[in-house]
Amino acid sequence: MQEVARVVLALEADDVAEEVMHFLDRSGSARVVGTAGDDRQLVEAVRQLEPDAIVAHPSLVAPASASGPAVLALDTRESVASLRAAIRVGAQGFYLWPGERDALAAAAAATGSMPRLGDKRAMIVAVHGARGGVGSTFVATHLAQAFTRRDLDCVLLDADPTYGDISAALGVPDDQMHTIADLVPLVPELTPAHLGDALWTHPAGFRALAAPSAERAASVSAAALAAIVRVAAASHDAVVVSVPRELGELTLSGLASADRVLEVLSLDVLSFRAATRAIDVFRPSGVAARVGFVVNRASRSEITPGDVERVFGAVPLAVVPADRAVPRAQDRGRLVPPKGRVGRAFAKLAGRVLEDPEAA
Ligand SMILES: Nc1ncnc2c1ncn2[C@@H]1O[C@H](COP(=O)(O)OP(=O)(O)OP(=O)(O)O)[C@@H](O)[C@H]1O
Ligand SMILES: [Mg+2]
């Protein structure tokens, strides 16, 4: 039997709060156990009442934690600012009042039966390449390998429906690997065990989930991706999410969940231009502060890794050399062995991301 979900409501407008409260209470599957008019009251209500979900205007919520209540963002108007705020706080969904109230009630109800996740919390790293072909797939797969060599239980998620190619880079036929879309129907009750069943294990030891096919990509919402990442983070030590190049909802969701965002650059003007544009788009969602740069395919060029600091104000976390072994391995669905120049660059990158002082 489904439990009645316990909800704390946090909205600025009293009249809307009243309507939402009556509506949810009448729905029979969710009950408002507390209300809050500002962010401090909300923190206190969550601490005391331990609700299953917070239904709130996104501006009132602090970023969600993996073990805390689900956040369902609500607003009376759709705006980019509000949507970004919802993504920033890790909301599982964004609903317009009153137009989407039935979807809100269903989402609130589902939190009542949602399993409580443990306190384990992985380091979540999103990998983005603003310019096509800079090596974001290469960086994501090899970072997963480097985390595994540090004995971290790592999962690699390919969230790029258009250009996702992690399955090919790992040498797995598409029909032998589950995708993120396969988990979407389970999202309201997704457990680490469901996720574990869907993961494919690489010989190096990390586990992976492929990108959804283009036809099923639409079924993967930003909220679904956030929920999958949240469950992965609750049951692993490290989560690497390869996010789409396009700066849409899925990318912003992947970035919002991440502790570190790796922007992959190559040493050429167009890559720098594309990364600059991407960071301008990330900035309002508060992600820019978590961005670190990885220079890939470095070779002698007029542009040097030093220019990264000049242009982006940050020393690159790692400089991965251009190496013919990379396309040779990737074309055969293999990873470049962890020993050697490329492997050493990734060992250093993993250390930097984990803020291991020895990697500095
Ligand atoms: N350090 C490197 N040295 C030599 N070749 C590299 C290096 N990194 C990546 N490559 C090659 O560059 C090509 C693009 O790499 P990759 O597929 O990882 O890029 P991507 O950013 O994921 O591309 P897309 O935008 O298509 O998703 C591949 O052929 C890969 O083997
Ligand atoms: Mg790619």
Side-chain angles (χ1 to χ4, degrees):
M1 198 191 81
Q2 183 158 311
E3 306 267 323
V4 173
R6 301 172 65 257
V7 173
V8 164
L9 197 60
L11 296 169
E12 274 156 341
D14 289 342
D15 48 339
V16 179
E18 191 116 325
E19 281 173 37
V20 176
M21 182 158 80
H22 289 310
F23 174 74
L24 288 178
D25 284 346
R26 272 202 314 270
S27 74
S29 48
R31 189 159 54 84
V32 175
V33 294
T35 57
D38 62 37
D39 48 351
R40 287 185 31 205
Q41 286 176 6
L42 177 58
V43 169
E44 194 47 33
V46 168
R47 198 180 60 77
Q48 285 187 12
L49 302 167
E50 297 185 352
D52 299 304
I54 300 171
V55 172
H57 191 272
S59 65
L60 297 180
V61 192
S65 76
S67 55
V71 176
L72 305 173
L74 189 70
D75 204 344
T76 49
R77 277 181 308 127
E78 184 159 357
S79 70
V80 173
S82 199
L83 198 61
R84 280 203 175 117
I87 291 171
R88 183 170 64 235
V89 300
Q92 285 193 20
F94 179 86
Y95 304 91
L96 284 176
W97 183 265
E100 294 172 347
R101 59 186 188 171
D102 293 331
L104 171 73
T111 64
S113 54
M114 204 153 73
R116 288 259 160 212
L117 297 172
D119 283 335
K120 185 162 175 173
R121 172 64 167 73
M123 159 68 76
I124 304 171
V125 184
V127 181
H128 182 254
R131 180 147 167 84
V134 286
S136 61
T137 299
F138 163 67
V139 169
T141 49
H142 287 74
L143 182 62
Q145 173 171 252
F147 278 149
T148 308
R149 282 183 63 80
R150 288 181 154 249
D151 280 339
L152 298 185
D153 190 8
C154 176
V155 56
L156 171 63
L157 304 175
D158 191 345
D160 183 350
T162 321
Y163 300 107
D165 41 19
I166 275 176
S167 53
L170 299 179
V172 196
D174 279 343
D175 60 354
Q176 286 176 32
M177 208 167 167
H178 279 291
T179 78
I180 289 189
D182 296 337
L183 291 181
V184 167
L186 299 173
V187 155
E189 295 116 44
L190 188 67
T191 63
H194 293 134
L195 175 68
D197 287 344
L199 293 170
W200 176 86
T201 305
H202 188 272
F206 61 85
R207 317 225 288 146
L209 200 59
S213 62
E215 309 85 74
R216 296 183 64 199
S219 71
V220 185
S221 62
L225 176 61
I228 293 168
V229 171
R230 175 171 171 267
V231 172
S235 48
H236 293 83
D237 303 317
V239 179
V240 178
V241 191
S242 177
V243 299
R245 186 195 318 154
E246 323 62 79
L247 302 168
E249 222 196 335
L250 222 49
T251 302
L252 288 176
S253 162
L255 300 181
S257 309
D259 302 297
R260 291 310 299 261
V261 174
L262 299 183
E263 183 62 43
V264 185
L265 294 167
S266 52
L267 294 175
D268 57 82
V269 173
L270 295 188
S271 167
F272 275 45
R273 275 173 57 100
T276 305
R277 276 202 299 268
I279 287 164
D280 283 347
V281 174
F282 304 162
R283 191 160 288 118
S285 60
V287 167
R290 282 174 266 148
V291 173
F293 298 89
V294 177
V295 171
N296 184 33
R297 273 189 169 170
S299 59
R300 263 177 216 285
S301 131
E302 271 178 49
I303 299 178
T304 68
D307 290 319
V308 174
E309 187 174 8
R310 198 178 48 74
V311 174
F312 298 102
V315 178
L317 295 170
V319 178
V320 185
D323 190 324
R324 273 182 313 194
V326 175
R328 227 183 301 143
Q330 207 175 54
D331 288 348
R332 291 179 171 83
R334 300 210 188 110
L335 299 181
V336 178
K339 300 207 175 83
R341 286 190 313 158
V342 167
R344 279 198 300 278
F346 279 99
K348 186 167 170 182
L349 176 61
R352 285 270 173 87
V353 168
L354 297 166
E355 291 178 354
D356 174 350
E358 297 207 348

